[in-house]
Amino acid sequence: MINILSKDVINKIAAGEVVERPASVVKELIENAIDAGADIIKIKALKYGTELIQIEDNGDGIHSKDFDKLFLRHATSKISSIDDLEKIDTMGFRGEALASIAAVSDIEILTRHQSESNGSLIKHYDGKITISPTSITKGTIVKVKNLFENIPARKKFLKSPRTENIAIWQVILSYVLSYPNIRFEIEIDRHLKIYPKSELIDRICDVTKIEKQHWLELNYDNELKIFGYTTLPKKQIFDKKKQYLFVNHRPIFDQNIPKAVQVGYGTFLMNNTYPGFVLFIEINPAEVDFNVHPRKSEIRFSDQNKIFNIIKDIISTILKNHLKSFVKDTIAEIKPENTNTYIQVKNPDFTIQEFEEFLKNEEKHYYNPENTSSVSEYQSKAKPNIKSSFLIDKAIKFNQNIYDTIKENTYQNDTKTDDTNLDIQNLEYKRLEKTFDDYDLSNVFQINNSYIVLSTKKSIVIIDQHAASERYFFEYFIRYLKSKNLDKQNLLVSEVIEFTIEEIEIIETNLPIFKQIGFDIEIIGKDKIIINAIPAGTKFFNYKKVIKELIGQFNENFDLEKSIKKIAATMACHTAIRFGDPLKKEEIIDLINKLLSCENPYSCPHGRPIIYEIPFDDLEKKFCR
Ligand code: ADP
Ligand code: MG
């Protein structure tokens, strides 16, 4: 038998599309506040939004003649004809949100339209509306109570309170980012945060916790407008969570544009790192369809390829310009009196002309989304010949060298922790004969704060100090992690480090793993942690980086046994002596002894060589003896 469903059931089914979880309610109500022209929005959620979601705004208010239409489906003040869909400039237009929310909760709205002298309280309980006078000076307060109480099936599908709260924060933060001219006051289950009105860049820094100096501004104003900020390649970000896209100020989830940005970065991006960006696209509403998703979080551009290419080109142009001006400033800064165009950096093997040649070469390899399925495929195709790939490697090295030279004491991070490069078998090898013996420890020295040089009876031996130290710590951490008794060392001064709310969530979920690998961490507040202890016998140069890299490796099915080598490689990389650190003689000798105590002293955990030996025989040939 075919039943015609009642209006109540139809509404509840339709509500499922719009109101999937508490965060969707928050999204719709914030959008309504923005559409009402508010510049102060206060948001409150209790019991992850299931007990109460309250959004207060100082916008236009709702006129009493509209009260009876508020909860009707497809009732909106924002469009009136099909043509209006082509020029939407409001967040809402489907007239579905209040109807959908009302179908799955109890609603109270306090509002006063700017043209009216009194405020009203509109209650929508169990499908019945009551209206009474109330005192409210301006704007609208919407209170959504007992969400999903009347549909237990949906309530059961909600995730943990923390996950739902994170989803609420994510929704709020996307509007916080795109409306820096609105003040947001947020209270979610006792966590308070205020975002005062500010400049876009300050908002971005506040939300992402990435400091100003790591962002590069972009501004493109043509047939469409693209503006925002993107991170410098040197700011290594290990996940895609710092990528925000807004189309006509609407937060959008799109697969293609992040790809375009990544292609724009090309080979300037290190392995396993991602760009961070906050991009605003402003486009004629007629060229984009916002109506492909009930929650309006996906869109379709009429010319997808055009947008892709514009974004890719803007990103690569601003990066190249930035790097070029950086290179020029660097030359001026390092050798003001020198007219020679060689860069006076650690490895002065790359000239600005070569760099520019590289940039030109790079431009030849265009990514075409039509016939290349992934960015990595593009990147491998973008290195079609040895010359080009040689230049790319040089450019990356060059780029790194400049930064490292300028930023003294900056931790030189070789994060090429590609699993495939990990020298996993090596530890299982039986101890190999050392390549060099009879070495003379009385005659060792360091050159360029980077290499250790010593001689044996038959050869000169050059050791990469960072790689050597890293290898030692790699093996140290493997032994440490395998030992049942993980000694910790308490820090004299505990480190307090800020993270984003999402990162805190991951850290909190993985506190037991941190304990397992020798860290004593506590979460203090919603965006800070305190590190009290670390594995015995180590120090880390940059706690934040090591924590970030570690949480990048803790996925849902994390198993320490299987991941020991990766975790050890990360910890070793952050503990090892850096390329560029000056060493005292005792430290040099200590390092050589440590290296020689290793199971495999030949290559670092990423597979790069550690020791380079030049036999005297070869020297004799060179000098025609
Ligand atoms: P839509 O936003 O798509 O128009 P909604 O169901 O979200 O649909 O809202 C219905 C109508 O209620 C809106 O068109 C608007 O006129 C009014 N409204 C809702 N919230 C507010 C608010 N905070 N301030 C002023 N008017 C509001
Ligand atoms: Mg709306």
Side-chain angles (χ1 to χ4, degrees), residues 318-569:
I318 61 152
L319 280 173
K320 286 167 190 175
N321 287 344
H322 170 78
L323 284 170
K324 271 190 213 166
S325 65
F326 196 79
V327 168
K328 283 176 187 143
D329 293 349
T330 310
I331 297 167
E333 203 172 298
I334 296 176
K335 278 257 150 176
E337 76 288 3
N338 196 342
T339 51
N340 182 344
T341 51
Y342 271 89
I343 311 296
Q344 302 296 311
V345 289
K346 260 184 252 131
N347 298 312
D349 57 359
F350 201 50
T351 63
I352 192 160
Q353 285 85 354
E354 274 182 289
F355 179 65
E356 278 175 349
E357 185 190 337
F358 157 72
L359 294 180
K360 260 189 254 142
N361 247 335
E362 265 281 79
E363 272 153 19
K364 287 187 197 140
H365 309 297
Y366 273 115
Y367 176 78
N368 181 350
E370 300 271 278
N371 55 26
T372 319
S373 62
S374 71
V375 176
S376 58
E377 194 187 326
Y378 152 77
Q379 279 169 337
S380 62
K381 280 188 184 160
K383 298 177 187 171
N385 59 48
I386 295 170
K387 176 137 195 299
S388 156
S389 103
F390 168 72
L391 274 168
I392 289 166
D393 287 347
K394 266 187 138 187
I396 290 173
K397 209 163 120 205
F398 170 76
N399 179 10
Q400 251 184 325
N401 281 337
I402 305 172
Y403 278 105
D404 292 339
T405 310
I406 296 295
K407 286 181 113 196
E408 272 176 357
N409 303 327
T410 310
Y411 164 58
Q412 206 226 324
N413 189 358
D414 31 16
T415 40
K416 299 203 171 207
T417 36
D418 182 357
D419 213 5
T420 53
N421 287 339
L422 267 185
D423 196 10
I424 285 176
Q425 259 79 50
N426 269 322
L427 282 187
E428 270 70 63
Y429 285 174
K430 67 180 195 325
R431 201 183 174 91
L432 296 160
E433 278 304 305
K434 308 289 181 218
T435 41
F436 62 95
D437 48 20
D438 293 332
Y439 48 91
D440 178 5
L441 281 186
S442 67
N443 195 17
V444 293
F445 49 95
Q446 183 192 33
I447 50 169
N448 211 17
N449 290 342
S450 311
Y451 300 101
I452 306 300
V453 180
L454 69 159
S455 66
T456 71
K457 282 195 175 136
K458 300 183 302 236
S459 63
I460 297 173
V461 175
I462 303 171
I463 297 169
D464 175 324
Q465 67 184 40
H466 173 69
S469 175
E470 194 177 20
R471 160 53 66 180
Y472 169 77
F473 281 110
F474 178 57
E475 296 189 8
Y476 171 91
F477 279 119
I478 287 179
R479 283 194 303 276
Y480 178 86
L481 294 170
K482 282 187 173 167
S483 76
K484 294 284 164 281
N485 180 17
L486 297 189
D487 277 346
K488 285 184 191 141
Q489 87 197 34
N490 290 326
L491 297 178
L492 278 181
V493 181
S494 299
E495 283 267 335
V496 175
I497 312 172
E498 273 199 10
F499 285 95
T500 64
I501 290 156
E502 284 170 285
E503 286 163 346
I504 292 285
E505 155 81 0
I506 306 175
I507 294 171
E508 181 161 36
T509 326
N510 291 294
L511 281 178
I513 302 178
F514 277 110
K515 201 164 170 210
Q516 254 185 312
I517 63 175
F519 284 86
D520 176 356
I521 292 177
E522 279 172 65
I523 313 258
I524 47 169
K526 69 177 184 317
D527 60 357
K528 282 193 197 71
I529 64 164
I530 184 161
I531 304 185
N532 299 314
I534 57 172
T538 62
K539 62 176 185 187
F540 292 104
F541 286 106
N542 183 330
Y543 287 94
K544 188 162 185 166
K545 266 194 177 165
V546 75
I547 301 283
K548 278 194 174 196
E549 237 176 280
L550 288 171
I551 60 177
Q553 295 172 13
F554 298 160
N555 52 29
E556 268 174 30
N557 309 315
F558 180 84
D559 174 353
L560 184 57
E561 280 299 306
K562 287 191 195 128
S563 309
I564 274 189
K565 281 161 190 159
K566 246 183 137 173
I567 298 287

Side-chain angles (χ1 to χ4, degrees), residues 32-33 36 57 61-62 70 75-78 92-98 140:
N32 283 347
D57 68 60
I62 305 167
L70 267 180
T76 177
S77 57
K78 299 168 192 174
F93 58 85
R94 296 169 61 110
E96 275 183 314
L98 289 180
T140 304

